[in-house]
Amino acid sequence: MAQRSILIVEKAGGPLHTVALNLQQTGCQVYLASGTRDGLQYAMEFVPDVVVLSRSLAEMETVDLCRSILRNLGESSTPAILIAPTGGDQSGIEDPAHDSRLAESLALDLLAQSVKTLTFRARHTIDTQAILECHGIRLDPRFSLVEMDGNRLDLTPTEFRLLQALLSRPGHVLTRAQLEDAAGLPAKDREPETDSENTSRTRRIDVHVKSIRGKLDRKGLLIETVRGVGYRFREAAWNINALN
């Protein structure tokens, strides 16, 4: 099962770190952005399933960020956007009542549950039989067929599933764990996660990606390595002719 990704945007030191911890403990990939500028940058880089905006942000900042995400990502890749039911202005309140604190705690819990529901729906609405095409590379799951500029490519079943995962979300960073899920790699055969980028041992996913790149020839550069994270396929707006 693919890892769910959530972007939380709030002011530094805001209350939503509690939600972030809750979601991380359930296996979600959580990105925390301080302010709308970082929020837009993270949204463009990681293309999360859900974006959560704190009420600690100014209303116009929130509206502008929503519009910018829609304009830059397009309707097909735009994540679900939620306004957090917490973090309202409490200036002037020196000693909040206990029932207010309880209400805020419940709101945070409900927010976390809402995010989980939305990411579950997003993950299960992907059409695994959809024909994918980008930069002259065409993948047809119905016939397990991959063509590049009209020429058929010979991919193994694992390579086919990995390329399908990358092509289904151009510009979206997929972790090695997500790609292992997409490839159907048995858990017992997976390489353990490591915090070090200087490991001498080559991960299995890296070997498959290297093979795919070789078969894509010059267009293999469209599969970009994101250091310390995983891989992504260049979005259609990127000019392949720039390689000449």
Side-chain angles (χ1 to χ4, degrees):
M1 184 177 292
Q3 188 179 37
R4 298 164 291 184
S5 60
I6 297 98
L7 169 61
I8 295 178
V9 185
E10 64 175 341
K11 290 184 178 179
L16 296 185
H17 66 279
T18 303
V19 176
L21 292 174
N22 183 310
L23 294 170
Q24 287 175 338
Q25 290 172 357
T26 62
C28 293
Q29 174 65 60
V30 181
Y31 307 101
L32 281 169
S34 299
T36 54
R37 178 175 296 182
D38 286 346
L40 179 59
Q41 180 179 344
Y42 280 35
M44 292 290 294
E45 182 175 358
F46 299 111
V47 193
D49 297 308
V50 176
V51 175
V52 179
L53 305 178
S54 171
R55 284 186 179 174
S56 64
L57 302 171
E59 182 176 354
M60 286 309 300
E61 288 182 336
T62 301
V63 173
D64 289 342
L65 177 58
C66 292
R67 290 173 176 170
S68 296
I69 291 175
L70 178 60
R71 182 172 62 251
N72 285 280
L73 295 183
E75 294 184 2
S76 61
S77 299
T78 301
I81 299 178
L82 292 178
I83 306 299
T86 186
D89 185 11
Q90 295 192 12
S91 58
I93 302 178
E94 298 180 358
D95 186 17
H98 291 291
D99 57 348
S100 296
R101 295 182 182 179
L102 177 61
E104 177 174 319
S105 175
L106 290 174
L108 289 171
D109 185 62
L110 289 173
L111 172 62
Q113 291 301 323
S114 296
V115 171
K116 294 172 191 175
T117 299
L118 282 172
T119 54
F120 178 86
R121 290 176 181 173
R123 199 171 58 245
H124 285 78
T125 54
I126 296 175
D127 186 357
T128 58
Q129 295 303 308
I131 296 176
L132 306 173
E133 189 165 3
C134 190
H135 290 296
I137 300 171
R138 185 175 185 272
L139 184 148
D140 189 341
R142 299 170 302 174
F143 304 103
S144 298
L145 176 67
V146 178
E147 295 178 324
M148 183 174 68
D149 299 328
N151 298 314
R152 182 166 183 169
L153 298 181
D154 184 20
L155 302 183
T156 67
T158 298
E159 291 169 353
F160 183 91
R161 290 190 292 268
L162 287 175
L163 184 59
Q164 182 181 20
L166 291 165
L167 278 174
S168 66
R169 298 288 296 277
H172 182 70
V173 180
L174 297 179
T175 66
R176 287 180 174 84
Q178 289 174 310
L179 291 171
E180 286 172 344
D181 286 331
L185 187 64
K188 64 179 180 180
D189 294 333
R190 295 181 183 181
E191 300 287 0
E193 292 292 335
T194 176
D195 294 330
S196 173
E197 295 182 10
N198 298 318
T199 177
S200 60
R201 178 174 45 75
T202 301
R203 296 177 177 141
R204 178 171 300 191
I205 286 296
D206 297 346
V207 174
H208 289 304
V209 170
K210 181 178 180 181
S211 178
I212 295 172
R213 282 172 168 164
K215 293 176 181 180
L216 292 178
D217 195 27
R218 173 173 154 275
K219 292 188 178 181
L221 292 176
L222 292 170
I223 301 178
E224 180 184 17
T225 301
V226 181
R227 291 189 61 188
V229 183
Y231 297 95
R232 66 181 161 199
F233 193 89
R234 289 281 191 171
E235 60 270 29
W238 194 72
N239 185 11
I240 184 64
N241 293 323
L243 296 175
N244 293 329

